[in-house]
């Protein structure tokens, strides 16, 4: 079956530091990959996505590249801000009986200090 | 746009009682809604998929008689936890998909914290 593994948190950084949150996956076929973000008190929001190998998703300064050879989709940002403090979820969706359904990683809590 | 609300945000109930959680799409029509359960420090686990006007499809291991899902309109889905027990205490999250967006676009509600005493 499908599974997603994220690096364990929590991650604590100072403002303007570089961020990497690792994500690897196991899936049948050719999944689409996503990063969702959950700010305190809010629902999950789609941050970025990539639907095929070597695609790069980007949004709000965050980037992630779909690496089929390493089955990874690591999230990066060059300079984090306090407002980036949130929980980040890596997810995938594949075809077949799982079509349109999302499989999530366990989430990584990011705290950015001024 | 694409806002999903859940009510209540928190609920405490006694063991053996039933609790209903509502999920509403506020500014779009949701043909498909999903219900997830999230344990502390763990991932979201998909419980069931509901399509408006038809029976929900439950994931393996989810008791359909315990977690009743109704998607009676294009803007409302409800999850009823019947005969709740302390092990049902969890964070329940719904999401909704609009027919006008991509197959993978889901809009999430803020979640409902259920505590069974």
């Amino acid at each position: 079956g499908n599974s997603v593994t994220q690096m364990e948190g929590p991650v604590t950084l100072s403002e303007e530091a570089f961020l990497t949150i690792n994500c690897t996956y196991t899936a049948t076929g050719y999944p689409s990959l996503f990063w969702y973000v959950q700010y305190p008190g809010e629902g999950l929001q789609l941050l970025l996505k990539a639907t095929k190998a070597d695609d790069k998703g980007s949004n709000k300064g965050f980037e992630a590249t779909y690496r089929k050879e390493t089955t990874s989709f690591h999230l990066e940002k060059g300079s984090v801000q306090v407002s980036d403090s949130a929980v980040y979820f890596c997810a995938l969706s594949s075809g077949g009986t799982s079509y349109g359904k999302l499989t999530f990683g366990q989430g990584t809590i990011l705290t950015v200090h001024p | 746009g694409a806002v999903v609300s859940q009510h209540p945000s928190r609920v405490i109930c006694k063991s053996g009682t039933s609790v209903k959680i509502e999920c509403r799409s506020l500014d779009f029509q949701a043909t498909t809604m999903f219900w997830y359960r999230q344990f502390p420090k763990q991932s979201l686990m998909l419980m069931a998929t509901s399509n408006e006007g038809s029976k929900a499809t439950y994931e393996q291991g989810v008791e359909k008689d315990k977690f009743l899902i109704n998607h009676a309109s294009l803007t409302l889905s409800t999850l009823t936890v019947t005969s709740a027990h302390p092990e049902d205490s969890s964070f329940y999250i719904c999401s909704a998909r609009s027919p006008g967006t991509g197959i993978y676009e889901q809009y999430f509600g803020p979640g409902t914290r259920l505590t069974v005493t």
Side-chain angles (χ1 to χ4, degrees):
Chain A
N2 296 339
S3 68
V4 177
T5 302
Q6 287 180 235
M7 68 182 284
E8 295 218 7
V11 175
T12 303
L13 296 173
S14 297
E15 206 165 25
E16 299 184 3
F18 184 86
L19 168 71
T20 299
I21 301 177
N22 290 339
C23 172
T24 57
Y25 67 89
T26 304
T28 53
Y30 301 95
S32 292
L33 303 174
F34 309 86
W35 277 100
Y36 281 83
V37 58
Q38 184 176 31
Y39 298 104
E42 299 183 18
L44 276 74
Q45 302 172 27
L46 178 63
L47 180 60
L48 54 84
K49 67 181 179 186
T51 57
K52 61 182 188 296
D54 299 326
D55 268 3
K56 178 186 284 188
S58 61
N59 186 24
K60 299 182 181 179
F62 291 90
E63 293 183 340
T65 301
Y66 189 144
R67 301 284 188 201
K68 193 172 188 304
E69 64 276 12
T70 54
T71 61
S72 64
F73 193 54
H74 305 321
L75 182 68
E76 297 182 337
K77 186 174 185 182
S79 177
V80 293
Q81 305 299 313
V82 172
S83 57
D84 294 326
S85 297
V87 184
Y88 292 81
F89 292 91
C90 185
L92 70 81
S93 183
S94 64
T97 57
S98 299
Y99 187 62
K101 298 179 183 178
L102 292 168
T103 300
F104 286 90
Q106 69 269 39
T108 301
I109 300 172
L110 170 66
T111 303
V112 181
H113 292 299
Chain B
V3 177
V4 175
S5 70
Q6 281 185 242
H7 179 80
S9 57
R10 305 177 169 267
V11 58
I12 301 173
C13 71
K14 295 194 174 188
S15 188
T17 62
S18 295
V19 174
K20 180 184 285 188
I21 302 170
E22 293 185 347
C23 176
R24 292 182 186 273
S25 56
L26 298 185
D27 50 3
F28 67 99
Q29 294 185 326
T31 50
T32 303
M33 288 183 168
F34 302 88
W35 286 95
Y36 296 84
R37 183 171 177 176
Q38 185 179 27
F39 294 96
K41 298 185 179 179
Q42 292 191 30
S43 175
L44 280 73
M45 180 193 77
L46 179 64
M47 299 174 66
T49 302
S50 75
N51 293 295
E52 185 266 338
S54 62
K55 289 185 178 180
T57 303
Y58 290 81
E59 296 299 303
Q60 193 170 10
V62 177
E63 299 175 61
K64 61 180 69 176
D65 293 331
K66 179 166 191 63
F67 298 101
L68 300 179
I69 292 171
N70 185 289
H71 191 163
S73 78
L74 284 171
T75 59
L76 174 65
S77 177
T78 59
L79 168 68
T80 301
V81 183
T82 62
S83 186
H85 289 96
E87 57 266 28
D88 298 325
S89 297
S90 192
F91 196 56
Y92 293 89
I93 300 173
C94 73
S95 70
R97 190 163 71 207
S98 165
T101 58
I103 188 72
Y104 304 119
E105 294 282 349
Q106 293 184 27
Y107 302 101
F108 287 81
T112 296
R113 172 78 59 195
L114 170 63
T115 303
V116 184
T117 60

